[in-house]
Amino acid sequence: MGSYIPSTAEERKAMLEYLGLGSMDDLFAAVPESVRVHSLNLPEGLSEMEVSRKVRALADKNVRFRSVFRGAGAYRHYIPAIVKTVTSREEFVTAYTPYQAEISQGVLQSIFEYQTQICELTGMDVSNASVYDGAVAAAEAVLMCLERRKNGIIVAGSADPQTITTIRTYCESRNVPVTVLPVKNGATDVADLSAALSDTSACLYVQSPNYYGVLEDMDALVAAAHGAGARVVMGANPISLGILKTPGEYGADIATGEGQPLGMPLGFGGPYLGFMACRKELMRRLPGRIVGETADHEGRRCFVLTLQAREQHIRREKASSNICSNEALCAMTASVYLAAMGPQGLARVAENCAAHAHYLAEELSRIPGFSLRHNDREFFHEFLTDCPVDPEELCSKLAEKGILGGLPVEGGILWCCTELCSKNDMDELITAIREVCAQ
Amino acid sequence: MKLLFERSRPGRRECLIPACDVPAASFSPSALRASAPRLPEISEIDLGRHYTELASQTHGVNKGFYPLGSCTMKYNPRINEEMASLPGFTDIHPLQPAESAQGCLEVLFETERLLCEITGMDGMTFQPAAGAHGEYTGLLLIRRYHQSRNDAARTKIIVPDSAHGTNPASATMAGFTVVSVPSNAKGGVDIEALRNAVGPDTAGLMLTNPNTLGLFDENILEITRIVHEAGGLCYYDGANLNAVMGHARPGDMGFDCVHLNLHKTFSTPHGGGGPGSGPVGCKDFLEQFLPAPRVCKKEDGSFGFADPEHTMGRVRSFYGNFLVVVRALTYILTLGREGIPEASAMAVLNANYLMKKLSGSYDMAYDSMCMHEFVMTLEKLKGETGVSAMDVAKSLLDYGIHPPTMYFPLIVHEALMVEPTETESPETLDNAAEALLAILEKAKTDPAYLHGAPHRCPIGRPDEVRAARTPVLRYDFASAENK
């Protein structure tokens, strides 16, 4: 049994004597006997070697696919070696929220750098230090837009379904009505938005590239929302922002997204990273930690947690959010990733993703029955095709060959390509699909 | 020290991604950004050195004592990190078919079973990513419960005045109004005040036990009974579970739901402020409202997903911070039946030992024995010498010790809240006591020195007022170019 307790039996005895106590049990004298438990139904503790064997056996029960063509909110990208090296450093791993700035400049500066990078990616003025994931970022962002007389939220139905569900949860508990717009040909129809907008609409949440990979007609959607006095929250894939137009350029008020593609492994869904950035006028509504630059008494530049008047530990029930712990180490991961890549590297990742996806779409559409659902739409690195055989069955046949196929969605398949899906991988996929369909 | 952007030189880069092996995709010009993001252009050696320098300016548990009250900064075992880095976990897509992710599902299922046993709960979700997220989820369970009974009048959540700030903030987010109840002279919930506060509008009570004063509420069964008799539910904030795990269970104290902080009690690292994990457990009558999906064990012994009948929906994507759960499972398997209660007993022993070392010199907020943490009040010291809790905290920095939590709980003036945890040796506690006693001596002879502390850190006290009044929240490329 391990315990990580340094004190020896003699030391414990001496400490108890120092306290005038007879036994360890006396430490719990304040706990009424009626709620004491004296034995739990837990397995016996194990040595490190035994635990290692046991947990490795669990990991071995999972299937690791040779190539992955599934995204839908979680993306397998190449992670540069330096990312893991830096973010495994014990100083960063074992610190907590940098309340004491004098001994936390490392964490604070890295968050400041992260905030700057997120602003650059999104074209926004202010970023927070992260929230739990992309879905929560979207939910927190729509709540930022509420006004006394504007308390309706409009959500593009083409957004990630998990994000929509999360927004619904967060809004339902605040009694905020949510209208979800229909999806027309894989995207949002500005006429539907205009019909839904009213003078009580607080904001539109729209994701582009959306769940189907399609680029939304952002210019028209932003114009319609702003024309009705509603704000726009735009969800974006951070890799796509290496080349695609930013939320800032489209005129969105808040940008959010899932930061996982920036150096975080798939990890069966987490930990991931919710990024949030906004225009300056919304700064004091932004939830979560924010790091700012200042100086010490000798004029040395330094960084601190700031604008804390928004936060729960100061404002309690009047806080802009309840968030306390966020995803700091994931934010640092994203920051190291973006620094390692640089502007050219990030653009190359984005271009490779898009090129691979377009190549695969082209090759797939040559197979009878695999036509693109949204043929006339621009897309980034995901796209939906029809499927002439049962999608689940096709995917399980592919799985036998070590390939994780696209996600069965709406009777078709939602495919995704990243820079890791090489031409060879895609050609192999195409061959495998042809074989399955020929059977 | 320099920022990443100040180390950047145009044209510097490493070759990380190959040239594309298929023809480029073309986008309409209106879909493209006008200019590239100004990300740093930096060589790998400079990037490595940058973070090495940042690391040297970061205090973590592995650098020194970190008795930050209420945060349980215990040691983060290395084996946990190794297990969470196994490609068999890190490389698994959350939307892989369940039959190809049986190991992940078993991790979630097993950890749920073990944590339910430790807390006395019947079911659990791992979706919440942190403690406050768990509080929100737990409160939504309470909300759904009352809704399911068409009991729309229950709009109030009772929170003691010693509670963490996240409690009232979470209650507001969950659509409740907050009723604060005072503490009694012994630091527990004022029972009379609680009786007066409950009624047909009571949705529930949120309680941390032991509370933020480090005291176990002796009236706990009466407290939960009063709330239940009024028709409310009881929510256990698990922030301080490290004091009692293996010795007492929230489920036996009368609580209906609970959140845990795996990054506190179950030794997963705090990562500079996350990622954490805030699983929420509940009694069986609330399981139907848990977030979807849940992991279930099928008749053939394999694992799958199922949605609770009246699920609240989701509070985030996928299944939570899975890799944090792997770490917690590794920890629980290591400690096991004997190690879990031993860890909390040792946490309580260490706290009482350090408290007694100090109690002749520093005033304690309450003079009873404590659980895993204790609160000092420096009000008298401040009156006599002008030296504040802040000054003492900042002086500790010069000793290489992370200060206790300052100015919390709010009901104690000039508070310092100390939580040593079980993973510290007696000599570390002795050293900390000596440092605090030396600071006390200095307060009597040279208070000005303490007002100016710290003296041996990379920076002195930052100007927080300037930071908030003229916010600079990102690097200013334009002004750098003009220099």
Side-chain angles (χ1 to χ4, degrees):
Chain A
M1 173 197 80
S3 71
Y4 308 106
I5 295 172
S7 318
T8 63
E10 290 72 35
E11 285 170 331
R12 292 179 207 191
K13 194 160 162 265
M15 291 167 84
L16 285 169
E17 276 168 16
Y18 175 70
L19 292 170
L21 298 177
S23 74
M24 295 293 270
D25 220 39
D26 293 348
L27 293 163
F28 294 91
V31 180
E33 187 53 38
S34 50
V35 298
R36 285 292 304 272
V37 286
H38 294 283
S39 177
L40 290 178
N41 181 20
L42 297 175
E44 272 179 43
L46 299 172
S47 66
E48 180 172 313
M49 189 178 93
E50 292 166 304
V51 172
S52 172
R53 195 176 282 161
K54 201 169 170 118
V55 179
R56 275 171 206 277
L58 288 171
D60 289 343
K61 288 185 184 175
N62 295 317
V63 178
R64 289 178 64 200
F65 291 97
R66 194 172 62 253
S67 50
V68 173
F69 295 96
R70 191 169 291 195
Y75 303 95
R76 190 207 225 184
H77 287 281
Y78 181 71
I79 300 175
I82 193 166
V83 172
K84 184 74 183 163
T85 311
V86 167
T87 56
S88 302
R89 289 196 68 114
E90 297 189 339
E91 298 90 337
F92 301 136
V93 170
T94 68
Y96 201 14
T97 307
Y99 298 115
Q100 298 290 344
E102 297 87 344
I103 53 166
S104 308
Q105 283 302 296
V107 169
L108 287 161
Q109 180 171 326
S110 95
I111 297 171
F112 184 82
E113 292 168 346
Y114 162 83
Q115 289 174 183
T116 306
Q117 290 166 319
I118 292 298
C119 288
E120 281 295 311
L121 268 191
T122 57
M124 289 285 159
D125 302 321
V126 187
S127 162
N128 69 9
S130 78
V131 294
Y132 310 130
D133 76 348
V136 172
E140 290 269 15
V142 301
L143 293 178
M144 276 171 70
C145 298
L146 298 179
E147 307 276 353
R148 187 177 300 231
R149 286 181 195 79
K150 287 180 179 289
N151 74 337
I153 305 293
I154 301 172
V155 175
S158 56
D160 182 300
Q162 299 197 55
T163 303
I164 297 176
T165 313
T166 305
I167 290 174
R168 278 191 190 282
T169 306
Y170 273 68
C171 287
E172 192 275 336
S173 66
R174 289 280 194 92
N175 298 315
V176 171
V178 176
T179 307
V180 178
L181 301 176
V183 184
K184 302 262 175 76
N185 188 20
T188 309
D189 189 331
V190 71
D192 291 327
L193 172 62
S194 297
L197 281 162
S198 74
D199 54 7
T200 60
S201 302
C203 72
L204 164 71
Y205 173 77
V206 55
Q207 178 187 325
S208 181
N210 66 24
Y211 182 63
Y212 306 100
V214 168
L215 307 193
E216 294 276 351
D217 185 359
M218 286 303 303
D219 287 321
L221 297 173
V222 171
H226 282 173
R231 291 198 167 93
V232 175
V233 180
M234 178 175 165
N237 179 312
I239 296 288
S240 79
L241 295 176
I243 53 172
L244 295 184
K245 195 180 264 191
T246 66
E249 288 172 307
Y250 282 122
D253 301 278
I254 306 174
T256 65
E258 176 50 69
Q260 176 269 332
L262 304 175
M264 276 140 270
L266 290 169
F268 202 55
Y272 285 2
L273 164 72
F275 67 83
M276 285 186 84
C278 67
R279 301 210 175 271
K280 202 163 190 174
E281 52 269 26
L282 291 169
M283 173 176 76
R284 285 175 202 276
R285 296 188 185 192
L286 204 55
R289 309 290 187 192
I290 298 177
V291 170
E293 182 185 317
T294 186
D296 72 358
H297 54 90
E298 287 182 30
R300 288 174 289 202
R301 177 173 72 186
C302 58
F303 302 93
V304 291
L305 294 172
T306 194
L307 303 180
Q308 298 189 69
R310 304 162 293 115
E311 293 189 65
Q312 46 78 24
H313 59 288
I314 307 286
R315 300 209 63 197
R316 297 176 76 86
E317 65 268 24
K318 294 188 185 67
S320 59
S321 167
N322 66 341
I323 188 166
C324 182
S325 287
N326 49 54
E327 304 287 302
L329 198 61
C330 299
M332 178 181 273
T333 304
S335 188
V336 182
Y337 176 89
L338 289 169
M341 284 296 172
Q344 295 85 4
L346 184 67
R348 183 174 264 195
V349 174
E351 284 158 2
N352 280 12
C353 289
H356 286 157
H358 285 75
Y359 174 83
L360 181 63
E362 179 74 30
E363 293 300 310
L364 274 173
S365 62
R366 292 178 208 274
I367 307 175
F370 279 93
S371 52
L372 253 68
R373 283 273 173 93
H374 318 116
N375 203 11
D376 54 341
R377 301 278 197 189
E378 288 196 83
F379 63 93
F380 177 56
H381 73 339
E382 291 182 276
F383 56 93
L384 184 60
T385 68
D386 292 329
C387 184
V389 294
D390 176 33
E392 301 279 358
E393 206 173 305
L394 173 64
C395 285
S396 67
K397 293 268 171 56
L398 293 175
E400 287 167 16
K401 298 172 190 290
I403 300 169
L404 182 60
L407 185 69
V409 163
E410 296 170 22
I413 296 187
L414 180 62
W415 301 92
C416 173
C417 290
T418 70
E419 76 282 8
L420 282 173
C421 306
S422 68
K423 180 172 182 298
N424 280 345
D425 296 337
M426 294 188 284
D427 291 343
E428 185 191 47
L429 169 71
I430 294 293
T431 307
I433 293 174
R434 284 189 188 277
E435 278 173 26
V436 173
C437 292
Q439 282 167 12
Chain B
M1 59 175 286
K2 282 186 175 174
L3 289 159
L4 274 176
F5 313 99
E6 293 160 345
R7 296 181 193 268
S8 176
R9 296 292 180 275
R12 274 199 193 146
R13 71 197 63 165
E14 304 294 348
C15 182
L16 300 170
I17 303 294
C20 198
D21 50 1
V22 297
S26 67
F27 290 96
S28 56
S30 64
L32 298 174
R33 61 185 294 157
S35 59
R38 287 169 290 186
L39 300 173
E41 297 178 72
I42 195 163
S43 61
E44 189 163 309
I45 183 171
D46 287 336
L47 192 57
R49 283 178 182 161
H50 179 76
Y51 285 102
T52 299
E53 200 174 345
L54 288 185
S56 75
Q57 301 196 6
T58 303
H59 183 97
V61 172
N62 280 19
K63 206 160 178 176
F65 191 33
Y66 210 132
L68 186 65
S70 181
C71 297
T72 314
M73 302 300 290
K74 65 169 76 172
Y75 178 63
N76 311 128
R78 299 292 94 192
I79 185 68
N80 297 359
E81 299 308 303
E82 194 174 303
M83 295 300 100
S85 301
L86 292 173
F89 293 130
T90 59
D91 203 24
I92 305 305
H93 195 289
L95 298 174
Q96 264 179 230
E99 61 268 23
S100 68
Q102 287 294 300
C104 291
L105 293 177
E106 191 170 341
V107 165
L108 292 170
F109 188 86
E110 267 305 299
T111 313
E112 173 176 351
R113 205 177 58 78
L114 295 168
L115 290 175
C116 281
E117 172 65 15
I118 291 170
T119 54
M121 293 289 145
D122 298 314
M124 191 166 276
T125 174
F126 289 98
Q127 244 180 52
H133 205 202
E135 291 174 23
Y136 175 66
T137 308
L139 288 164
L140 291 185
L141 288 177
I142 295 177
R143 186 180 163 92
R144 290 280 169 160
Y145 168 78
H146 292 307
Q147 278 174 350
S148 74
R149 297 158 55 91
N150 295 317
D151 196 347
R154 298 195 176 273
T155 56
K156 291 188 175 148
I157 290 287
I158 298 170
V159 177
D161 59 2
S162 61
H164 296 117
T166 49
N167 285 182
S170 299
T172 300
M173 283 190 76
F176 295 109
T177 52
V178 176
V179 179
S180 182
V181 290
S183 303
N184 62 24
K186 290 163 105 176
V189 172
D190 183 328
I191 294 289
E192 276 318 300
L194 178 65
R195 278 211 183 89
N196 293 332
V198 299
D201 60 355
T202 299
L205 164 81
M206 295 181 88
L207 197 68
T208 310
N209 191 32
N211 62 20
T212 60
L213 299 160
L215 305 172
F216 193 96
D217 204 310
E218 58 185 7
N219 299 318
I220 187 62
L221 287 173
E222 190 173 0
I223 291 167
T224 53
R225 190 172 50 79
I226 290 170
V227 174
H228 282 152
E229 281 177 4
L233 298 185
C234 296
Y235 178 91
Y236 182 89
D237 179 329
N240 292 346
L241 187 72
N242 204 48
V244 292
M245 66 171 178
H247 299 274
R249 311 192 303 172
D252 301 333
M253 299 177 206
F255 289 95
D256 304 292
C257 52
V258 40
H259 90 259
L260 304 177
N261 300 76
L262 299 188
H263 49 290
K264 295 179 180 176
T265 317
F266 296 95
S267 83
T268 74
H270 287 71
S277 173
V280 168
C282 64
K283 294 285 196 184
D284 53 5
F285 71 98
L286 292 174
E287 285 186 83
Q288 56 183 314
F289 307 115
L290 282 170
R294 291 187 67 198
V295 176
C296 59
K297 193 168 188 173
K298 295 194 252 182
E299 277 175 17
D300 64 0
S302 69
F303 300 94
F305 287 115
D307 288 354
E309 192 181 355
H310 301 108
T311 178
M312 67 174 71
R314 289 190 158 276
V315 293
R316 59 158 285 171
S317 294
F318 306 117
Y319 331 108
N321 284 344
F322 172 77
L323 296 176
V324 179
V325 180
V326 171
R327 291 175 172 91
L329 175 62
T330 305
Y331 178 75
I332 298 168
L333 292 176
T334 302
L335 269 62
R337 190 192 306 146
E338 321 84 347
I340 292 282
E342 187 189 2
S344 49
M346 212 45 228
V348 176
L349 180 58
N350 275 354
N352 278 289
Y353 178 80
L354 183 55
M355 181 169 78
K356 184 157 188 204
K357 287 251 156 184
L358 297 171
S359 58
S361 314
Y362 281 90
D363 291 331
M364 298 297 150
Y366 297 87
D367 59 6
S368 46
M369 265 183 68
C370 67
M371 297 299 288
H372 68 307
E373 67 188 0
F374 60 93
V375 179
M376 310 195 288
T377 170
L378 278 59
E379 198 174 13
K380 208 167 101 210
L381 180 72
K382 192 179 180 191
E384 286 168 7
T385 65
V387 169
S388 65
M390 171 78 87
D391 294 334
V392 171
K394 295 297 180 193
S395 301
L396 270 175
L397 297 172
D398 285 333
Y399 290 85
I401 295 173
H402 193 290
T405 297
M406 310 183 298
Y407 299 97
F408 189 82
L410 304 177
I411 56 172
V412 176
H413 296 292
E414 295 294 323
L416 287 179
M417 180 200 227
V418 187
E419 182 182 7
T421 82
E422 73 277 13
T423 59
E424 299 297 341
S425 64
E427 58 267 31
T428 299
L429 305 180
D430 290 340
N431 286 342
E434 277 167 31
L436 278 161
L437 296 177
I439 290 166
L440 197 61
E441 283 310 305
K442 196 82 175 166
K444 288 166 188 161
T445 56
D446 188 4
Y449 185 80
L450 300 189
H451 296 322
H455 299 280
R456 296 194 290 272
C457 289
I459 58 161
R461 290 189 207 184
D463 186 344
E464 297 195 10
V465 174
R466 170 178 143 181
R469 283 209 184 133
T470 50
V472 178
L473 308 178
R474 53 165 297 177
Y475 179 65
D476 183 354
F477 291 94
S479 89
E481 276 162 21
N482 294 335
K483 273 178 194 165

mmCIF file of all heavy atoms in Angstrom, chain B residues 68-72 164 212 239-240 264 372-373 405 408 417-419:
data_model
loop_
_atom_site.group_PDB
_atom_site.id
_atom_site.type_symbol
_atom_site.label_atom_id
_atom_site.label_comp_id
_atom_site.label_asym_id
_atom_site.label_seq_id
_atom_site.Cartn_x
_atom_site.Cartn_y
_atom_site.Cartn_z
ATOM 1 N N LEU B 68 -1.815 26.145 1.527
ATOM 2 C CA LEU B 68 -2.882 27.040 1.084
ATOM 3 C C LEU B 68 -4.231 26.472 1.518
ATOM 4 O O LEU B 68 -4.728 25.504 0.931
ATOM 5 C CB LEU B 68 -2.808 27.196 -0.430
ATOM 6 C CG LEU B 68 -3.750 28.202 -1.089
ATOM 7 C CD1 LEU B 68 -3.436 29.629 -0.649
ATOM 8 C CD2 LEU B 68 -3.624 28.117 -2.612
ATOM 9 N N GLY B 69 -4.791 27.090 2.557
ATOM 10 C CA GLY B 69 -6.013 26.566 3.166
ATOM 11 C C GLY B 69 -7.130 26.393 2.172
ATOM 12 O O GLY B 69 -7.332 27.230 1.293
ATOM 13 N N SER B 70 -7.852 25.259 2.308
ATOM 14 C CA SER B 70 -9.010 24.982 1.490
ATOM 15 C C SER B 70 -8.651 24.452 0.106
ATOM 16 O O SER B 70 -9.531 24.130 -0.672
ATOM 17 C CB SER B 70 -9.858 26.253 1.368
ATOM 18 O OG SER B 70 -10.980 26.032 0.611
ATOM 19 N N CYS B 71 -7.356 24.368 -0.204
ATOM 20 C CA CYS B 71 -6.957 23.941 -1.547
ATOM 21 C C CYS B 71 -6.291 22.567 -1.564
ATOM 22 O O CYS B 71 -6.040 22.007 -2.630
ATOM 23 C CB CYS B 71 -6.043 24.975 -2.191
ATOM 24 S SG CYS B 71 -6.885 26.555 -2.428
ATOM 25 N N THR B 72 -5.985 22.006 -0.387
ATOM 26 C CA THR B 72 -5.411 20.667 -0.266
ATOM 27 C C THR B 72 -4.263 20.441 -1.251
ATOM 28 O O THR B 72 -4.364 19.639 -2.182
ATOM 29 C CB THR B 72 -6.494 19.574 -0.425
ATOM 30 O OG1 THR B 72 -7.620 19.929 0.371
ATOM 31 C CG2 THR B 72 -5.995 18.217 0.029
ATOM 32 N N HIS B 164 -17.411 29.097 0.927
ATOM 33 C CA HIS B 164 -16.615 29.570 -0.204
ATOM 34 C C HIS B 164 -17.473 30.460 -1.106
ATOM 35 O O HIS B 164 -18.674 30.224 -1.249
ATOM 36 C CB HIS B 164 -16.121 28.385 -1.048
ATOM 37 C CG HIS B 164 -15.195 27.475 -0.304
ATOM 38 N ND1 HIS B 164 -15.487 26.157 -0.046
ATOM 39 C CD2 HIS B 164 -13.990 27.695 0.240
ATOM 40 C CE1 HIS B 164 -14.493 25.606 0.628
ATOM 41 N NE2 HIS B 164 -13.572 26.519 0.824
ATOM 42 N N THR B 212 -15.093 25.840 6.526
ATOM 43 C CA THR B 212 -13.878 26.564 6.129
ATOM 44 C C THR B 212 -13.075 27.037 7.333
ATOM 45 O O THR B 212 -11.987 27.571 7.170
ATOM 46 C CB THR B 212 -14.248 27.776 5.260
ATOM 47 O OG1 THR B 212 -15.094 28.645 6.024
ATOM 48 C CG2 THR B 212 -14.967 27.359 3.990
ATOM 49 N N ALA B 239 -15.036 20.196 -0.799
ATOM 50 C CA ALA B 239 -13.718 20.846 -0.767
ATOM 51 C C ALA B 239 -12.854 20.341 0.387
ATOM 52 O O ALA B 239 -11.642 20.281 0.270
ATOM 53 C CB ALA B 239 -13.879 22.361 -0.684
ATOM 54 N N ASN B 240 -13.500 19.992 1.493
ATOM 55 C CA ASN B 240 -12.723 19.594 2.675
ATOM 56 C C ASN B 240 -12.839 18.103 2.995
ATOM 57 O O ASN B 240 -12.617 17.692 4.128
ATOM 58 C CB ASN B 240 -13.179 20.420 3.883
ATOM 59 C CG ASN B 240 -12.805 21.880 3.728
ATOM 60 O OD1 ASN B 240 -11.993 22.232 2.868
ATOM 61 N ND2 ASN B 240 -13.374 22.734 4.550
ATOM 62 N N LYS B 264 -8.002 18.125 -5.324
ATOM 63 C CA LYS B 264 -7.641 18.370 -3.928
ATOM 64 C C LYS B 264 -7.455 17.017 -3.243
ATOM 65 O O LYS B 264 -6.359 16.549 -3.032
ATOM 66 C CB LYS B 264 -8.736 19.180 -3.221
ATOM 67 C CG LYS B 264 -8.899 20.589 -3.781
ATOM 68 C CD LYS B 264 -10.009 21.354 -3.058
ATOM 69 C CE LYS B 264 -10.145 22.755 -3.655
ATOM 70 N NZ LYS B 264 -11.247 23.501 -3.060
ATOM 71 N N HIS B 372 -8.552 19.230 9.279
ATOM 72 C CA HIS B 372 -7.377 19.226 8.397
ATOM 73 C C HIS B 372 -6.777 20.608 8.188
ATOM 74 O O HIS B 372 -5.775 20.753 7.514
ATOM 75 C CB HIS B 372 -7.798 18.667 7.041
ATOM 76 C CG HIS B 372 -8.736 19.593 6.334
ATOM 77 N ND1 HIS B 372 -9.882 20.069 6.934
ATOM 78 C CD2 HIS B 372 -8.675 20.172 5.123
ATOM 79 C CE1 HIS B 372 -10.497 20.896 6.103
ATOM 80 N NE2 HIS B 372 -9.784 20.975 5.003
ATOM 81 N N GLU B 373 -7.445 21.647 8.700
ATOM 82 C CA GLU B 373 -6.917 23.008 8.547
ATOM 83 C C GLU B 373 -7.362 23.842 9.731
ATOM 84 O O GLU B 373 -8.276 23.474 10.455
ATOM 85 C CB GLU B 373 -7.384 23.640 7.225
ATOM 86 C CG GLU B 373 -8.873 23.910 7.129
ATOM 87 C CD GLU B 373 -9.303 24.356 5.722
ATOM 88 O OE1 GLU B 373 -8.458 24.455 4.821
ATOM 89 O OE2 GLU B 373 -10.504 24.586 5.543
ATOM 90 N N THR B 405 -4.029 30.649 2.867
ATOM 91 C CA THR B 405 -5.092 31.450 2.256
ATOM 92 C C THR B 405 -5.317 32.692 3.121
ATOM 93 O O THR B 405 -5.419 32.586 4.341
ATOM 94 C CB THR B 405 -6.371 30.606 2.154
ATOM 95 O OG1 THR B 405 -6.088 29.503 1.292
ATOM 96 C CG2 THR B 405 -7.527 31.414 1.584
ATOM 97 N N PHE B 408 -9.691 34.875 4.425
ATOM 98 C CA PHE B 408 -10.799 33.953 4.230
ATOM 99 C C PHE B 408 -10.726 32.905 5.333
ATOM 100 O O PHE B 408 -9.632 32.483 5.687
ATOM 101 C CB PHE B 408 -10.732 33.271 2.857
ATOM 102 C CG PHE B 408 -11.967 32.489 2.568
ATOM 103 C CD1 PHE B 408 -13.102 33.109 2.084
ATOM 104 C CD2 PHE B 408 -12.012 31.128 2.846
ATOM 105 C CE1 PHE B 408 -14.257 32.389 1.877
ATOM 106 C CE2 PHE B 408 -13.166 30.405 2.642
ATOM 107 C CZ PHE B 408 -14.290 31.045 2.144
ATOM 108 N N MET B 417 -5.499 31.030 6.752
ATOM 109 C CA MET B 417 -6.070 29.694 6.830
ATOM 110 C C MET B 417 -5.026 28.685 6.358
ATOM 111 O O MET B 417 -4.574 28.735 5.218
ATOM 112 C CB MET B 417 -7.285 29.689 5.916
ATOM 113 C CG MET B 417 -8.033 28.417 5.845
ATOM 114 S SD MET B 417 -8.979 28.530 4.312
ATOM 115 C CE MET B 417 -10.552 28.026 4.874
ATOM 116 N N VAL B 418 -4.658 27.797 7.267
ATOM 117 C CA VAL B 418 -3.489 26.947 7.054
ATOM 118 C C VAL B 418 -3.903 25.486 6.864
ATOM 119 O O VAL B 418 -4.575 24.922 7.730
ATOM 120 C CB VAL B 418 -2.533 27.043 8.261
ATOM 121 C CG1 VAL B 418 -1.232 26.292 7.977
ATOM 122 C CG2 VAL B 418 -2.254 28.489 8.628
ATOM 123 N N GLU B 419 -3.510 24.880 5.766
ATOM 124 C CA GLU B 419 -3.808 23.467 5.518
ATOM 125 C C GLU B 419 -2.519 22.761 5.110
ATOM 126 O O GLU B 419 -2.104 22.822 3.951
ATOM 127 C CB GLU B 419 -4.855 23.321 4.409
ATOM 128 C CG GLU B 419 -5.229 21.867 4.161
ATOM 129 C CD GLU B 419 -6.225 21.674 3.024
ATOM 130 O OE1 GLU B 419 -6.538 22.645 2.320
ATOM 131 O OE2 GLU B 419 -6.673 20.520 2.847
#
